[in-house]
Amino acid sequence: MYFASDNSGPMHPAVAQAMMASDTGFHPSYGTDPIMDSVRAQIHEIFEAPEAAVYLVATGTAANALALATLAQPWETVFCTPLAHINVDECHAPEFYTGGAKLSLVGDGDKMSADQLRARIESWTKGDVHTSQRGPVQLTQVTEMGRIYSLDELHALTGIAREYGLPTFMDGARFANALVALDCTPAEITWKAGIDALSLGGTKNGCAGVEAVIFFDPKHAWEFELRRKRGAHLFSKHRYLSAQMQGYLDGGIWLEAARAANANAARLASGLHDVPALEFVQEPQANMIFATLPRHQHQRLRDAGAIYGLWGEIEGDPDERLMMRLVCDWSITHEMIDEFLALAKG
Amino acid sequence: MYFASDNSGPMHPAVAQAMMASDTGFHPSYGTDPIMDSVRAQIHEIFEAPEAAVYLVATGTAANALALATLAQPWETVFCTPLAHINVDECHAPEFYTGGAKLSLVGDGDKMSADQLRARIESWTKGDVHTSQRGPVQLTQVTEMGRIYSLDELHALTGIAREYGLPTFMDGARFANALVALDCTPAEITWKAGIDALSLGGTKNGCAGVEAVIFFDPKHAWEFELRRKRGAHLFSKHRYLSAQMQGYLDGGIWLEAARAANANAARLASGLHDVPALEFVQEPQANMIFATLPRHQHQRLRDAGAIYGLWGEIEGDPDERLMMRLVCDWSITHEMIDEFLALAKG
Amino acid sequence: MYFASDNSGPMHPAVAQAMMASDTGFHPSYGTDPIMDSVRAQIHEIFEAPEAAVYLVATGTAANALALATLAQPWETVFCTPLAHINVDECHAPEFYTGGAKLSLVGDGDKMSADQLRARIESWTKGDVHTSQRGPVQLTQVTEMGRIYSLDELHALTGIAREYGLPTFMDGARFANALVALDCTPAEITWKAGIDALSLGGTKNGCAGVEAVIFFDPKHAWEFELRRKRGAHLFSKHRYLSAQMQGYLDGGIWLEAARAANANAARLASGLHDVPALEFVQEPQANMIFATLPRHQHQRLRDAGAIYGLWGEIEGDPDERLMMRLVCDWSITHEMIDEFLALAKG
Amino acid sequence: MYFASDNSGPMHPAVAQAMMASDTGFHPSYGTDPIMDSVRAQIHEIFEAPEAAVYLVATGTAANALALATLAQPWETVFCTPLAHINVDECHAPEFYTGGAKLSLVGDGDKMSADQLRARIESWTKGDVHTSQRGPVQLTQVTEMGRIYSLDELHALTGIAREYGLPTFMDGARFANALVALDCTPAEITWKAGIDALSLGGTKNGCAGVEAVIFFDPKHAWEFELRRKRGAHLFSKHRYLSAQMQGYLDGGIWLEAARAANANAARLASGLHDVPALEFVQEPQANMIFATLPRHQHQRLRDAGAIYGLWGEIEGDPDERLMMRLVCDWSITHEMIDEFLALAKG
């Protein structure tokens, strides 16, 4: 019963197969492998963006930090939410890669509203040499709390960014989960919605470790290549990144895996509605569930072998409610879900 | 006929097998996987260093830059050769990760002598706030020109570093190739020879992309962990790095692969002695051959499909001698070598 | 009628005289001048801290950024208020000098409470490699809103820092103004109250451009010297910094100037109590007054030549209340104050 | 007898007078003072460059590091000589401010030739993501060994830079000394000779601490302002920088002081030709003399109170020749020179 994260499961068989298929003979190194050419063409087609610059790195933090460093000057501030991965989970990688850019927090949770964004941008006076200069707007889709920006919300936020001349970056570590939930096209949720750059997650959705960074305007291409190499993120045997991404995208495996993950979470959530002690923090929208239980219930679940995210200490007042995070990837089985539900209800 | 680099071949079957064997079920993430525990124990045993801090990253540049950043303050200078990978092949990753440390070049090629090192250290006055402060000594084993530091040479160099209180770091991208060529133990060539930290290469010797960073004194452990995460080099699905290293070390695959690579280069070099137009730059010591040929011979080899490193333009004076680099990994076949030799002699 | 800032007035005559007295003959450079020896001894005596490391730089931002960089690792977070000068007025100098440390904002204004500090420290989990690591606590005395931390408040805040093993840094751009307002000794308000490092402002209180950075524990001395030089803040003709600080401290000029500044602000505030439209944001405690007036009053004052800080646009709804900042240094004359008061009341 | 450096003497009386004249009343801060407007106009006229962006900082290292950071990307390399101040005397300020740019050393001394520059540029392959990217060419005028680039030499070097599309920066810490020695106009020796940016030294030639940074193309203006503030080099009481530069330039004081300094060095050199044991390293061209003497002579001079730069330890083989540096600023008196000459000859 492993619901701790979607970074703990195996590769999707199609991804593993593509990686192994690439594991023969000699390939040109450092991103010049023919598989990468194929991946680039795949992404151009999937995103209806034939000019986009496309790069692969192995970690989501690298994708985020390198993309932001390309979009933000060191004296600029990135607008993001307090719960953004770049703010709380990357040990200052964004600050490191940007050379000291600051994060200006918008709202008080995992999502920002248009009004909040506008107010935060306005909080920094344009052209004042003493303060942070206004920089990129960063949005996470799916958010760190498992929520999804609607197309309308995206358009409103990117509209404000455009009004102020600020670039936009989407952290898409769980992009596929949002895409299938919204049931729209990749273009509609990104550049058609005003997004300038995207990290397209593979790792959490069936890959071993690969993320694509996509700049819809290729003007940043060469700078990004230099930043990737300087950051030590350019793989010599790059084909192993290319092959993962190829296997992930080919035949829509990425969408299939995301649909499976979301469906797993929906099945789990549906069952949890029958657990009287459990209160949902919000209705799940993708593959993550946030809910609260009294501590004694957590103790019981833990003792029975359930593994998931817990906010707070496992020891303490037995009646205190603690928040839990349950994450499903495509590989979670119905048996595992049902076993957990039986336990939770028990 | 692919002799361009040892970063172009496939995984050793044992490494691929280990990676696939790990590709099942749920593993704790970010380096807490049980396979990593096993890798750590393997390295402790192999290096007779039970206290050593051991970490995995995916690229050699990451291993070098993170290790140096841990050993060098931003105002210190790293002593290395002009041909060192950290100087010419890493797009300022060392400068980036150290926060602006400088590289002080020692000697004029791929190896430094004890006298050269001492003179270069002395060129920076200790305690002068205006200048570079003396920092780590970096040695590459096998060097970028395919040569090997003998144990005596290592002891002499690290002795000087110790005399000045400077830490030593070995870039071991081709460590196994040196080890089997010197026929000594891993401990003898590292900490027993005065080396404080090592990057133990896997990528060029049968892995897809993994390097171990080993600090023989674990005092740097936590700082390195923070630097790795901040550099975006901590893998969430870390098991795929662990598994590669496990398959690489188990049963001495790493030594077997290095012996095969060196033997391939020896076979190739032996045959090349019969090519009249060819002049060796030096006798090969590991898995790389540096030699010169007239340009018209390079043109002929290129036209016939041979791929290797070439210093200079392929067009020009047909009689001008140009340097070539031929690299063999374990996967180069005797047929490929013999085909190239027949072509070169023809 | 110039109340815009205390960085606009002339040098105190004693400071100017000391600077000119030093302007003769040859002095050793880069901080080795005998006047600096005298300054160091003065500060040791004034602060009852004979071991303290003492350095001079020319700007307050340099003092803050260099001191914080010495106290904080790049992966650590500095705890400060949202209105802290280091957060809003230094164009990312702290992020630049620390190599990417983050500022964690405490409270919602210019002062933090002990409870707020503790909660913010607790918000970062100790030992979690993914997040910001806990770093220095920064306090501004006098705060950016003209308020003063009492000795009790200081002890409470530094007590929490010590509990968590975190160093403390006081931005003392207006240190003298706080000192004379609290009527305590320099030691009582700093190291005896748990402060580890202080920037002792001169520029805003009668100097041309000089701030002392004081580490009460000299273990950081050499690192700070290297950081100062690397930051290009080590003056070659250092005597001109030394002489300013000497003239500032000799005979208690710094206290005299601060008393004059605070008295000027008190006189101004006293008169402003008779301006019906004016509302104080809070009672002034040192040399700065924050108050609100309707916009039409600001327009009238501006038109009459009054210069001061204004939050908001000068054009707009005439009845909207806008905040103003009035700052007095020692050189503001009673005539200027009375002229402004007459105007404001008029 | 103080010949250690031109950073040890007093202000020129005209500079001191200008500074004191500015020390009255209230001036807008942070570079918006009217004196700065006047300085900008002066420099526009003197350099026949009405569009140039002009900024003041307090140290030469700040001028160099900020200018280079504005011209160089972090992955680019600066071409300079091994003896360049930016390479050996700035404790990595250039690396810090550029975010990790590397210095590629050209030639083996204080001057580079056109052929050496071309070869060094060619040593980095254009468009190779692995290596340093080609960046600015930095020239020091007067060089660190007291030599001067002729106009022909400058044109040849900047011509190569232009050919490769690289910007050029002149470290003019002793710019006035070169200018009067070459007897040409400021424009001829800078932008008319292909120089893009200049640091115009004041500190070593009669000021307390001020250098102008001049970009002949103002496209870099705003970026430089942000970098200056972020580097903590923007003075709040900026008028004290402005006034120094105003007093320095007004009425040609800067040229007069440089002529006096050069003439002092010529008088000293002329006399030293009569010291049999002394050998000039080269004929002095500006205000610095490099020569050798046996150690026992140095001991005698030191014992008699002469202060100058010495390469090597004062204790050792009495007959070993050691290099000395004698520097004259405008304030060195004929008496001091003659006293030293009598001593040296005695």
Side-chain angles (χ1 to χ4, degrees):
Chain A
M1 294 179 296
Y2 200 100
F3 301 96
S5 177
D6 36 10
N7 63 23
S8 306
M11 284 189 264
H12 190 284
V15 173
Q17 191 172 347
M19 189 190 254
M20 287 303 106
S22 80
D23 186 37
T24 178
F26 297 91
H27 293 234
S29 53
Y30 294 116
T32 61
D33 53 291
I35 309 178
M36 184 60 206
D37 295 335
S38 155
V39 165
R40 198 178 293 109
Q42 280 175 305
I43 287 180
H44 285 173
E45 186 181 335
I46 288 171
F47 281 87
E48 307 167 46
E51 304 297 330
V54 179
Y55 300 103
L56 302 182
V57 293
T59 73
T61 297
N64 288 341
L66 286 166
L68 284 172
T70 305
L71 297 175
Q73 294 293 317
W75 38 82
E76 289 181 351
T77 187
V78 176
F79 296 96
C80 66
T81 66
L83 291 181
H85 200 268
I86 60 169
N87 188 41
V88 292
D89 287 315
E90 301 190 349
C91 192
H92 299 195
E95 289 84 355
F96 176 46
Y97 276 90
T98 58
K102 191 193 284 285
L103 307 185
S104 286
L105 306 182
V106 186
D108 55 8
D110 60 320
K111 280 183 80 170
M112 62 176 76
S113 72
D115 286 351
Q116 288 168 331
L117 175 60
R118 182 185 297 280
R120 197 68 180 94
I121 294 174
E122 286 285 344
S123 76
W124 296 112
T125 307
K126 185 173 166 62
D128 179 350
V129 81
H130 299 274
T131 69
S132 284
Q133 308 300 303
R134 299 161 177 174
V137 176
Q138 186 272 336
L139 303 169
T140 312
Q141 181 81 310
V142 180
T143 76
E144 289 75 11
M145 291 291 285
R147 299 197 294 171
I148 293 178
Y149 286 103
S150 71
L151 285 184
D152 282 351
E153 288 172 325
L154 286 178
H155 278 277
L157 290 164
T158 64
I160 289 170
R162 195 164 45 247
E163 189 181 318
Y164 287 95
L166 307 178
T168 56
F169 170 65
M170 178 176 281
D171 175 350
R174 295 185 180 93
F175 181 79
N177 302 86
L179 187 68
V180 300
L182 286 172
D183 196 20
C184 59
T185 70
E188 284 169 348
I189 200 181
T190 56
W191 64 269
K192 288 185 177 175
I195 296 296
D196 295 314
L198 168 72
S199 70
L200 170 60
T203 312
K204 290 182 190 295
N205 191 34
C207 297
V210 68
E211 314 275 312
V213 178
I214 304 172
F215 291 96
F216 295 106
D217 181 336
K219 71 182 171 191
H220 298 295
W222 180 235
E223 177 176 342
F224 186 86
E225 290 198 46
L226 290 162
R227 289 190 178 277
R228 178 178 57 169
K229 174 65 192 176
R230 173 174 169 257
H233 288 288
L234 176 57
F235 271 46
S236 60
K237 294 185 171 175
H238 186 277
R239 69 167 122 172
Y240 295 107
L241 293 184
S242 307
Q244 287 181 66
M245 188 54 72
Q246 185 189 40
Y248 182 59
L249 298 177
D250 260 2
I253 293 296
W254 66 308
L255 304 176
E256 182 185 301
R259 282 193 200 98
N262 290 5
N264 284 339
R267 181 187 185 96
L268 179 58
S270 172
L272 290 173
H273 277 107
D274 299 332
V275 177
L278 185 141
E279 293 176 8
F280 284 89
V281 173
Q282 76 229 341
E283 277 306 298
Q285 295 181 275
N287 68 325
M288 293 195 284
I289 296 166
F290 289 83
T292 65
L293 275 178
R295 180 178 274 113
H296 64 87
Q297 296 277 26
H298 288 299
Q299 289 167 335
R300 193 174 59 82
L301 290 166
R302 286 283 187 94
D303 290 347
I307 299 175
Y308 53 80
L310 182 68
W311 273 252
E313 300 295 324
I314 193 65
E315 298 299 331
D317 171 7
D319 293 325
E320 188 187 1
R321 300 193 72 83
L322 299 178
M323 188 167 75
M324 67 199 301
R325 185 183 83 155
L326 301 162
V327 192
C328 297
D329 77 354
W330 65 276
S331 77
I332 300 276
T333 60
H334 287 197
E335 289 69 27
M336 199 185 289
I337 294 168
D338 295 344
E339 182 187 4
F340 182 81
L341 287 174
L343 181 67
K345 293 172 187 170
Chain B
M1 293 179 292
Y2 200 101
F3 301 97
S5 177
D6 37 9
N7 64 24
S8 305
M11 284 190 265
H12 190 285
V15 173
Q17 193 174 346
M19 188 191 255
M20 287 304 105
S22 80
D23 186 37
T24 178
F26 297 91
H27 294 234
S29 54
Y30 295 116
T32 61
D33 52 293
I35 309 179
M36 184 60 206
D37 295 336
S38 155
V39 165
R40 198 178 293 108
Q42 281 175 303
I43 287 180
H44 285 172
E45 186 180 337
I46 288 171
F47 281 86
E48 308 168 46
E51 304 297 330
V54 179
Y55 301 104
L56 302 182
V57 293
T59 72
T61 298
N64 288 341
L66 286 165
L68 284 173
T70 306
L71 297 176
Q73 294 294 317
W75 40 80
E76 290 179 351
T77 187
V78 177
F79 296 96
C80 66
T81 66
L83 291 181
H85 200 269
I86 60 169
N87 188 41
V88 292
D89 287 315
E90 301 189 348
C91 193
H92 300 194
E95 288 85 354
F96 175 47
Y97 276 90
T98 57
K102 190 194 285 285
L103 308 185
S104 287
L105 306 183
V106 186
D108 55 7
D110 59 318
K111 282 182 77 170
M112 63 176 75
S113 72
D115 285 350
Q116 288 169 332
L117 175 58
R118 181 185 298 279
R120 197 69 181 96
I121 294 173
E122 286 285 343
S123 75
W124 296 113
T125 307
K126 186 172 166 62
D128 178 350
V129 81
H130 300 274
T131 70
S132 284
Q133 308 299 304
R134 299 162 178 173
V137 176
Q138 187 271 336
L139 303 169
T140 313
Q141 180 80 312
V142 179
T143 75
E144 289 76 10
M145 291 290 285
R147 298 198 293 171
I148 294 179
Y149 285 101
S150 69
L151 285 185
D152 281 353
E153 288 172 326
L154 287 178
H155 278 277
L157 290 164
T158 63
I160 290 169
R162 194 164 47 247
E163 190 181 318
Y164 287 95
L166 307 178
T168 56
F169 169 65
M170 180 176 280
D171 175 350
R174 296 185 179 93
F175 181 78
N177 302 85
L179 186 67
V180 299
L182 286 172
D183 197 20
C184 60
T185 70
E188 283 169 348
I189 201 180
T190 57
W191 64 269
K192 288 186 177 174
I195 296 296
D196 295 314
L198 169 73
S199 70
L200 170 60
T203 312
K204 290 182 191 296
N205 191 33
C207 297
V210 68
E211 314 275 313
V213 178
I214 305 171
F215 291 96
F216 295 104
D217 181 336
K219 69 182 170 190
H220 298 295
W222 180 235
E223 177 176 341
F224 186 87
E225 290 198 47
L226 290 162
R227 289 190 178 275
R228 179 177 57 169
K229 174 65 192 175
R230 174 175 169 256
H233 288 287
L234 176 57
F235 271 47
S236 60
K237 293 185 170 175
H238 186 278
R239 67 165 123 173
Y240 295 107
L241 293 184
S242 307
Q244 287 181 65
M245 188 54 73
Q246 185 189 41
Y248 182 59
L249 297 176
D250 261 3
I253 293 295
W254 66 310
L255 303 176
E256 182 185 302
R259 281 193 200 99
N262 289 6
N264 283 339
R267 181 187 187 95
L268 179 56
S270 172
L272 290 174
H273 277 104
D274 300 332
V275 176
L278 185 141
E279 293 175 9
F280 284 89
V281 172
Q282 77 228 340
E283 278 307 297
Q285 296 181 276
N287 68 325
M288 293 195 284
I289 296 167
F290 288 83
T292 65
L293 273 179
R295 183 178 273 114
H296 65 87
Q297 296 277 25
H298 288 299
Q299 289 168 336
R300 194 174 59 83
L301 291 167
R302 287 282 187 94
D303 290 346
I307 299 175
Y308 54 81
L310 182 68
W311 273 252
E313 298 296 323
I314 192 66
E315 299 299 332
D317 172 7
D319 294 325
E320 190 187 359
R321 301 194 72 85
L322 299 178
M323 189 167 74
M324 68 199 300
R325 186 183 83 156
L326 300 163
V327 191
C328 296
D329 77 354
W330 65 275
S331 77
I332 300 276
T333 59
H334 286 194
E335 288 69 26
M336 198 185 289
I337 293 168
D338 296 344
E339 182 187 3
F340 181 81
L341 286 173
L343 181 66
K345 292 172 187 171
Chain C
M1 293 179 294
Y2 200 101
F3 301 96
S5 178
D6 36 10
N7 62 24
S8 307
M11 285 189 265
H12 190 283
V15 173
Q17 192 173 346
M19 189 191 256
M20 286 304 106
S22 80
D23 186 38
T24 178
F26 298 92
H27 293 236
S29 54
Y30 295 116
T32 61
D33 53 292
I35 309 178
M36 184 61 207
D37 294 336
S38 154
V39 165
R40 197 178 294 110
Q42 280 175 304
I43 288 180
H44 286 174
E45 186 180 337
I46 289 171
F47 281 87
E48 308 167 45
E51 304 296 330
V54 179
Y55 301 103
L56 302 182
V57 293
T59 73
T61 297
N64 288 341
L66 286 166
L68 284 173
T70 305
L71 297 176
Q73 294 292 318
W75 38 82
E76 289 180 352
T77 188
V78 176
F79 297 96
C80 66
T81 66
L83 291 181
H85 200 268
I86 60 169
N87 187 41
V88 292
D89 287 315
E90 301 189 349
C91 192
H92 299 194
E95 288 84 355
F96 175 46
Y97 276 90
T98 58
K102 191 193 284 286
L103 307 184
S104 286
L105 307 182
V106 186
D108 55 7
D110 60 319
K111 279 182 80 170
M112 62 176 77
S113 72
D115 286 350
Q116 288 168 331
L117 175 59
R118 182 185 297 281
R120 195 69 181 94
I121 293 172
E122 287 284 345
S123 76
W124 296 113
T125 307
K126 186 173 166 60
D128 178 349
V129 81
H130 299 275
T131 70
S132 284
Q133 308 299 305
R134 299 162 178 174
V137 176
Q138 186 272 334
L139 302 169
T140 312
Q141 180 80 310
V142 181
T143 76
E144 289 75 11
M145 291 290 285
R147 298 198 294 171
I148 293 178
Y149 286 103
S150 71
L151 285 184
D152 282 352
E153 288 172 324
L154 286 178
H155 278 277
L157 289 164
T158 63
I160 289 170
R162 195 164 46 246
E163 189 181 320
Y164 287 95
L166 306 178
T168 56
F169 169 66
M170 178 176 281
D171 175 351
R174 295 186 180 91
F175 181 79
N177 302 87
L179 186 68
V180 300
L182 286 172
D183 196 20
C184 60
T185 70
E188 284 170 350
I189 200 181
T190 56
W191 65 269
K192 288 185 178 176
I195 297 295
D196 295 313
L198 168 72
S199 70
L200 169 61
T203 312
K204 290 181 190 298
N205 191 34
C207 297
V210 68
E211 313 277 312
V213 179
I214 305 171
F215 292 95
F216 295 105
D217 181 337
K219 70 183 171 189
H220 297 296
W222 180 235
E223 177 177 342
F224 186 87
E225 290 199 47
L226 290 162
R227 289 191 177 276
R228 178 176 57 167
K229 174 65 192 176
R230 173 175 170 256
H233 287 287
L234 177 57
F235 271 45
S236 60
K237 294 187 171 174
H238 186 278
R239 68 166 122 173
Y240 295 107
L241 294 184
S242 308
Q244 287 181 66
M245 187 54 71
Q246 185 189 40
Y248 182 60
L249 298 176
D250 260 4
I253 293 296
W254 66 307
L255 304 175
E256 181 185 302
R259 281 193 200 98
N262 289 6
N264 284 338
R267 181 187 187 95
L268 178 57
S270 172
L272 290 174
H273 277 106
D274 299 332
V275 177
L278 185 140
E279 293 176 8
F280 284 88
V281 173
Q282 77 229 340
E283 277 307 298
Q285 295 182 275
N287 68 325
M288 293 195 285
I289 296 166
F290 289 83
T292 65
L293 274 177
R295 181 179 273 113
H296 65 87
Q297 296 276 27
H298 288 298
Q299 290 167 336
R300 193 173 58 83
L301 290 166
R302 286 283 186 96
D303 290 346
I307 299 175
Y308 53 80
L310 182 68
W311 272 252
E313 299 295 323
I314 192 65
E315 299 299 331
D317 172 5
D319 293 326
E320 188 187 2
R321 301 193 72 85
L322 300 179
M323 188 166 76
M324 68 198 302
R325 185 184 83 153
L326 301 162
V327 191
C328 296
D329 77 355
W330 65 277
S331 76
I332 300 276
T333 59
H334 286 195
E335 289 68 27
M336 199 186 289
I337 293 168
D338 296 344
E339 182 187 4
F340 181 82
L341 287 173
L343 181 67
K345 292 172 188 169
Chain D
M1 295 179 293
Y2 200 100
F3 301 97
S5 177
D6 36 9
N7 63 24
S8 306
M11 284 190 264
H12 190 284
V15 174
Q17 192 173 347
M19 189 190 254
M20 287 304 105
S22 79
D23 186 37
T24 178
F26 297 92
H27 294 234
S29 52
Y30 295 117
T32 61
D33 52 293
I35 310 179
M36 184 60 206
D37 295 336
S38 156
V39 165
R40 197 178 293 109
Q42 280 175 303
I43 287 180
H44 285 173
E45 186 181 336
I46 287 172
F47 281 86
E48 307 166 46
E51 305 296 331
V54 179
Y55 301 103
L56 302 182
V57 293
T59 72
T61 297
N64 288 341
L66 286 166
L68 284 173
T70 305
L71 297 176
Q73 294 292 317
W75 38 82
E76 289 180 352
T77 187
V78 176
F79 296 96
C80 67
T81 66
L83 292 181
H85 200 268
I86 61 170
N87 187 41
V88 292
D89 287 314
E90 302 189 349
C91 193
H92 299 195
E95 289 84 354
F96 175 46
Y97 276 90
T98 58
K102 190 193 284 285
L103 307 185
S104 286
L105 307 182
V106 186
D108 54 8
D110 60 319
K111 279 183 80 170
M112 63 176 75
S113 72
D115 286 350
Q116 288 169 332
L117 175 59
R118 182 185 297 280
R120 196 69 180 94
I121 294 173
E122 286 285 342
S123 76
W124 296 112
T125 308
K126 186 173 165 61
D128 179 350
V129 82
H130 299 274
T131 70
S132 285
Q133 308 299 304
R134 298 163 178 173
V137 176
Q138 186 271 337
L139 303 169
T140 313
Q141 179 81 312
V142 179
T143 74
E144 288 76 9
M145 291 291 285
R147 297 197 295 170
I148 294 178
Y149 286 102
S150 70
L151 285 184
D152 282 353
E153 288 172 326
L154 286 178
H155 278 276
L157 290 164
T158 63
I160 289 170
R162 195 164 48 246
E163 190 181 318
Y164 287 95
L166 307 178
T168 56
F169 169 65
M170 179 177 279
D171 174 349
R174 296 185 179 92
F175 181 79
N177 302 86
L179 187 66
V180 300
L182 286 172
D183 196 22
C184 60
T185 70
E188 283 169 349
I189 201 180
T190 56
W191 64 269
K192 288 186 177 174
I195 296 296
D196 295 314
L198 169 72
S199 70
L200 170 60
T203 312
K204 290 182 190 297
N205 190 33
C207 297
V210 69
E211 315 274 313
V213 179
I214 305 172
F215 291 95
F216 295 105
D217 181 337
K219 70 182 170 189
H220 298 296
W222 180 236
E223 177 176 342
F224 186 87
E225 289 198 46
L226 291 161
R227 289 190 178 277
R228 178 176 58 170
K229 175 64 192 177
R230 173 175 170 256
H233 287 288
L234 177 57
F235 270 46
S236 61
K237 293 185 171 175
H238 186 278
R239 68 165 121 173
Y240 295 107
L241 294 184
S242 308
Q244 286 182 65
M245 187 55 71
Q246 185 188 41
Y248 181 61
L249 297 176
D250 261 2
I253 294 295
W254 65 310
L255 303 176
E256 181 185 302
R259 281 194 201 98
N262 290 6
N264 284 338
R267 181 188 186 94
L268 178 57
S270 172
L272 290 174
H273 277 104
D274 300 332
V275 177
L278 185 140
E279 293 175 9
F280 284 89
V281 172
Q282 77 228 340
E283 277 306 298
Q285 295 182 276
N287 69 325
M288 292 196 284
I289 295 167
F290 288 83
T292 66
L293 273 179
R295 181 178 275 115
H296 65 89
Q297 296 277 26
H298 288 299
Q299 289 167 336
R300 194 173 59 84
L301 291 167
R302 287 281 187 94
D303 290 347
I307 300 176
Y308 54 81
L310 182 68
W311 273 252
E313 298 296 323
I314 192 65
E315 299 299 331
D317 172 7
D319 293 326
E320 189 186 1
R321 301 194 72 84
L322 299 178
M323 190 167 75
M324 68 199 300
R325 186 183 83 155
L326 300 163
V327 192
C328 296
D329 76 354
W330 65 276
S331 76
I332 300 275
T333 59
H334 287 195
E335 289 68 27
M336 198 186 289
I337 293 168
D338 296 343
E339 182 188 2
F340 181 81
L341 287 174
L343 180 67
K345 292 173 187 169

